[in-house]
Amino acid sequence: LLMSKASSLYSFLSKTNFSAADLLTELNNEICETISRGMFVTMLVGIYDSNKKEMLLSSAGHEPPIIFSKDGSFTNYAEAGPPLGIMPNTKYTEDTISFLDSSMYIFTDGITEIKNPEGNELGSKGFQNYITKFKDKPNYERLKLIIDNVLGSKYIQKDDLTIVVLDS
């Protein structure tokens, strides 16, 4: 129910608020007014400027997205405020990042926290290895191959596995 509320609030508030950080601040305050203790939601807000090839990003406790450049290098967007619903009146920050000739992977912690039979997490580096392995495949095929390979490697899934990829 909390995710549904956050999604509805986002749909409403994003129509008039074009700052990723201000939007998260407003969402957080609305959610903090009615949330039950101990509940929270993570969110990443991005606003893409196709003319400048830039992305304005702000994070409320969400897994840091991975940016994979066409030259084969990886960068992470690691800035994050607390999840929504933790602390009212939080001021979130936003950063403008170049988004040219690259792909951005946005994912839930279920992908990085999935464990192999020995109990080791896949982690960000392990996920990056799969991205590199299937980099020449189209997005829909790449994502399917990553999930199929992770699950086929006998990793133990305890959470959802959600991955979204955006290409510039």
Side-chain angles (χ1 to χ4, degrees), residues 14-151:
S14 66
K15 291 177 181 170
T16 57
N17 192 334
F18 303 106
S19 163
D22 290 348
L23 181 57
L24 285 179
T25 298
E26 200 171 349
L27 281 163
N28 182 58
N29 288 336
E30 288 291 328
I31 288 172
C32 283
E33 284 184 15
T34 59
I35 197 166
S36 297
R37 187 178 162 112
M39 295 183 69
F40 64 89
V41 62
T42 67
M43 185 177 282
L44 180 73
V45 174
I47 301 169
Y48 180 64
D49 185 331
S50 60
N51 294 323
K52 295 180 181 177
K53 306 293 187 212
E54 293 177 338
M55 180 84 73
L56 185 65
L57 283 178
S58 188
S59 178
H62 197 73
E63 284 291 311
I66 294 173
I67 301 163
F68 181 61
S69 297
K70 300 292 188 234
D71 68 7
S73 64
F74 286 96
T75 54
N76 290 56
Y77 174 76
E79 296 296 317
L84 303 174
I86 298 290
M87 188 170 50
N89 302 316
T90 298
K91 296 293 182 201
Y92 292 89
T93 61
E94 61 190 15
D95 292 293
T96 302
I97 60 167
S98 175
F99 193 56
L100 178 65
D101 295 327
S102 56
S103 299
M104 181 181 292
Y105 290 80
I106 302 165
F107 50 94
T108 58
D109 60 1
I111 190 72
T112 52
E113 293 176 0
I114 196 167
K115 293 181 180 180
N116 65 15
E118 292 78 41
N120 301 314
E121 290 184 352
L122 178 66
S124 182
K125 293 291 182 202
F127 181 39
Q128 289 176 13
N129 291 338
Y130 281 108
I131 293 168
T132 301
K133 182 177 181 179
F134 301 115
K135 68 181 180 188
D136 296 325
K137 302 290 184 189
N139 284 344
Y140 66 91
E141 191 175 338
R142 185 179 333 133
L143 294 179
K144 182 175 180 350
L145 284 166
I146 290 170
I147 295 296
D148 289 350
N149 275 255
V150 167
L151 295 179

